Amino acid sequence: MKIIAHQLKNSQVAEIVTNDTIIQNIEDSLDLLGNLYYQQYDQIIIQKHQITDDFFDLKNGIAGEILQKYSNYRIKLAIVGDFSSFASKSLKDFIFESNRSGQIIFVSSTEEALSNFSR
C-alpha cells in the first residue's frame, strides 16, 4: 500500500494507492483510520475496489459502522469509483445522504474528491 499525500490549505489528505482490498471488515477500517490519524491526516481517499463488496450491502451494517467511526474522529473519507451499477434504492439514498453531509463522500475521481475536500 502506498500513500500519496495532498496538502489542502490546513488539511492533510492521504490518497491510498493499491490494487488490493484493504478494508475487508470494520477492524480493517479502524486500523486504516488509526494509522492515518496518527500520521496527521484528516481526510482519506480510497478506491471502491479497496473496500469489500459487503460495504455496499447495507443490510449487514458495515457501511453505517464505518461512517460512525470516521464521524467520531472527524476524518473525512472519499470513496472513488463508479456507483451507477448499484440497483439498491437504499444504497443510492445512502450515497446521496452521505454526499450531502460530507463526512463520507462517493465521487467519480480523485480530482473530484480533492475539490470536495477543499471547500
Side-chain angles (χ1 to χ4, degrees):
M1 178 176 81
K2 177 181 171 186
I3 299 171
I4 298 175
H6 300 273
Q7 180 69 42
L8 299 175
K9 298 178 186 173
N10 296 325
S11 180
Q12 286 284 97
V13 180
E15 177 185 354
I16 308 303
V17 179
T18 183
N19 290 326
D20 298 329
T21 302
I22 57 171
I23 298 177
Q24 295 281 356
N25 52 49
I26 295 164
E27 291 77 24
D28 291 344
S29 179
L30 284 173
D31 288 346
L32 179 67
L33 173 68
N35 184 341
L36 296 174
Y37 183 80
Y38 179 75
Q39 295 180 55
Q40 308 287 317
Y41 290 105
D42 52 2
Q43 299 179 84
I44 302 168
I45 300 171
I46 61 175
Q47 301 292 316
K48 178 179 143 189
H49 71 268
Q50 295 169 343
I51 302 176
T52 179
D53 289 339
D54 290 342
F55 176 89
F56 300 100
D57 179 5
L58 297 181
K59 293 177 200 158
N60 62 33
I62 291 174
E65 287 195 46
I66 289 174
L67 175 69
Q68 186 63 47
K69 301 298 182 198
Y70 280 77
S71 294
N72 289 347
Y73 283 90
R74 293 190 169 100
I75 301 291
K76 291 186 177 182
L77 176 66
I79 303 171
V80 176
D82 179 7
F83 306 99
S84 63
S85 64
F86 292 116
S88 166
K89 179 173 176 4
S90 59
L91 179 60
K92 288 179 182 182
D93 290 345
F94 177 79
I95 289 172
F96 177 81
E97 289 300 323
S98 292
N99 285 348
R100 199 174 80 166
S101 76
Q103 190 64 44
I104 293 182
I105 58 173
F106 296 83
V107 294
S108 60
S109 69
T110 299
E111 293 77 22
E112 187 179 354
L114 292 169
S115 175
N116 271 281
F117 285 162
S118 66
R119 293 183 195 154

